[in-house]
Amino acid sequence: GKSGYDHYMLKEIHEQPRSLRQCLSERVDELAGTVDIDDLADLNPRGVQFVACGTSYHAALYGAELFQQAGIPAQAFLASEYASSPPPIGDALVIGVTQSGETADTLSALREADRRGARTLGVTNVVGSTVARECDHVFYIRAGPEIGVAATKTFASQLAALNLLALGMAGGDDTRELIGALRDLPGQVQEVLDESGARAVAETYLESDAYFFIGRGLNFPVALEGALKMKEITYKHAEGFAAGELKHGPLALVTDQTPVFAVVTGDGEQARKTIGNVKEVEARDAPVIAVTDGQSDVERYADHVLRVPETHPRTAAVLANVQLQLVSYHTAAELGRSIDKPRNLAKSVTVE
Ligand code: M6R
C-alpha cells in the first residue's frame, strides 16, 4: 500500500534514501576507497553508447558525461532514434538504461547493437526482465518496485548506479571523495525531504501556464527531468533547456508569467555561466527559483531558493532533482491531478 502517503509517487520520493542505500550496499568499500562491480570492472570499454527513453534517457545523458569525464568517449542516444539509424559502433560497449527492462524502444536498440557485434550491458531495476535476460551483462539499480508511472526513486538509483559503473570501469582522480559523497547521499536526500520548501514554491506558481528549467553540465539532465516530471503529472507546459541554449531561441518565451527553475550547484565556471543566464531571464521579469547548494551567489538573483546540502559535483544532481520532484508533485496535488496514473501514459511502454 501507500503507507499513509496520498500517492505512490510521494511514497517513492520518500523512499529514495533507502533505495539509494540498497544500490550502494556492498558495492563501495570506503576504507579501501574502491568500488566493487564484479566482473563488469573487466569490460574495459574504449567507448560507450547509452540507449534509453524518457527519464532513463536523462540518466543516460548524465552517465555519458561521467564516462567522458573519466576519459572514455561516451554518448547518450534516444533508443527510438538509435534503433532506426544506429551510429557506428566500433568496439563500444552499448549500455541500455531502463527501469522496467521491458521498454520496446530500448530493447530494439540493444538488439540492433547486438546484431552489429557490440557487447551490451543492461542497467535495470527488474530482475529477470527481458533486458536483464538478453544483454551480455546486467547491473541492477536495486530501487525496489516503483508503482507510480512517474519515475522518481528509480532515476535517483540510476544516477547512483551509473556513478558506480563509471568508477568501476574507468576510475577517476577523486574516487575517494566521490565514494564519501555517495555514502553521505542518502542522508542528504533525507535532509532535502525533511525541509524542502518545494510546496510553497508550487503553491506560488500554480497559475502559471509554462515552466522552464535550466542547468548545465550534469545539471542539464536534471533540468530535462524536472520539466518531464512537471508535464507528465501536472499537464502543464514545461521545458528543460541547457542553460546556454536559452538565448538561442527559448528566451523569446520568457515573460513575467514563466517561472524559471535554475539548477546551480558549486561555484565554478558552469555556475558562473548559468548565473549569467539567470540574469538574462531576471531582466525579462521572469520569476527565478534557484535550486542551489548555496556555494555561488545565484540566490541574489532569485525570487525563491530551494536549498540542497553541499556535496560532490556529481551527487549534487541527485539532490537538486529531489527538489524538482517535490515541486512537480505538490503542483499536481494542488491541481488535483491523477498523479500515480497520468492520462495517456503507461508505466512500461512495450510498443515502439
Ligand atoms: O522502464 P524504462 O526506464 O525503460 O522507461 C522509459 C520511460 O518510459 C520512462 O522513464 C518514462 O519516461 C517515465 N515513466 C517518466 O516518468
Side-chain angles (χ1 to χ4, degrees):
K2 289 182 255 182
S3 321
Y5 290 100
D6 288 344
H7 300 94
Y8 280 108
M9 183 185 178
L10 189 59
K11 172 175 181 255
E12 287 157 3
I13 287 172
H14 280 265
E15 280 171 351
Q16 289 177 113
R18 188 154 65 110
S19 51
L20 284 167
R21 274 189 201 101
Q22 280 165 198
C23 178
L24 300 169
S25 140
E26 282 162 28
R27 286 168 166 171
V28 285
D29 183 337
E30 232 199 302
L31 285 180
T34 54
V35 302
D36 181 2
I37 55 168
D38 294 325
D39 52 341
L40 298 181
D42 306 324
L43 285 178
N44 252 322
R46 295 237 213 106
V48 173
Q49 294 180 347
F50 286 94
V51 292
C53 308
T55 293
S56 295
Y57 172 67
H58 302 151
L61 285 170
Y62 171 95
E65 176 71 21
L66 300 189
F67 277 86
Q68 292 267 96
Q69 287 180 5
I72 297 182
Q75 260 183 295
F77 297 89
L78 289 165
S80 54
E81 293 295 313
Y82 186 102
S84 55
S85 102
I89 285 175
D91 54 4
L93 172 70
V94 178
I95 304 182
V97 183
T98 165
Q99 183 281 129
S100 63
E102 303 296 345
T103 300
D105 289 318
T106 308
L107 272 167
S108 293
L110 286 165
R111 286 173 184 155
E112 186 56 34
D114 179 65
R115 266 194 291 278
R116 290 167 180 249
R119 295 173 296 167
T120 56
L121 163 62
V123 177
T124 184
N125 194 30
V126 179
V127 177
S129 57
T130 308
V131 160
R133 283 184 280 112
E134 289 192 8
C135 284
D136 300 322
H137 306 274
V138 61
F139 193 69
Y140 290 110
I141 64 168
R142 301 185 188 154
E146 188 176 68
I147 310 290
V149 164
T152 52
K153 64 175 179 172
T154 56
F155 179 67
S157 293
Q158 285 170 339
L159 300 191
L162 291 168
N163 270 296
L164 296 178
L165 289 175
L167 276 179
M169 286 189 217
D173 299 336
D174 58 351
T175 305
R176 268 182 195 279
E177 286 82 347
L178 183 56
I179 286 177
L182 288 168
R183 174 211 51 208
D184 293 340
L185 188 58
Q188 292 182 320
V189 168
Q190 190 62 54
E191 283 176 47
V192 174
L193 294 170
D194 289 344
E195 42 196 323
S196 149
R199 185 175 192 156
V201 169
E203 284 166 359
T204 306
Y205 299 110
L206 220 46
E207 306 297 320
S208 304
D209 291 327
Y211 303 83
F212 299 134
F213 298 78
I214 60 172
R216 145 191 319 261
L218 290 172
N219 288 333
F220 170 44
V222 175
L224 293 178
E225 176 59 10
L228 178 60
K229 222 82 305 177
M230 188 65 111
K231 50 187 115 165
E232 75 174 323
I233 63 168
T234 72
Y235 312 153
K236 298 264 209 159
H237 181 219
E239 296 294 339
F241 303 112
E245 276 296 294
L246 210 57
K247 57 184 170 304
H248 297 291
L251 198 53
L253 297 170
V254 171
T255 68
D256 61 356
Q257 298 300 308
T258 53
V260 178
F261 291 82
V263 184
V264 183
T265 54
D267 63 351
E269 182 73 359
Q270 291 188 331
R272 195 178 58 70
K273 286 187 175 169
T274 306
I275 291 168
N277 307 122
V278 166
K279 290 181 190 164
E280 290 161 6
V281 305
E282 200 214 9
R284 273 87 191 166
D285 297 323
V288 173
I289 303 95
V291 183
T292 181
D293 53 10
Q295 292 196 62
S296 69
D297 66 352
V298 66
E299 299 184 14
R300 265 209 255 154
Y301 310 99
D303 299 277
H304 299 269
V305 176
L306 295 172
R307 271 292 187 114
V308 296
E310 265 187 61
T311 177
H312 191 280
R314 295 189 172 187
T315 35
V318 177
L319 298 175
N321 186 62
V322 174
Q323 287 287 27
L324 297 183
Q325 290 171 341
L326 289 167
V327 172
S328 288
Y329 173 80
H330 288 298
T331 304
E334 287 292 326
L335 294 169
R337 301 293 192 237
S338 165
I339 292 180
D340 287 332
K341 283 187 193 300
R343 68 186 182 201
N344 309 340
L345 300 177
K347 181 65 181 164
S348 168
V349 184
T350 54
V351 289
E352 280 184 60

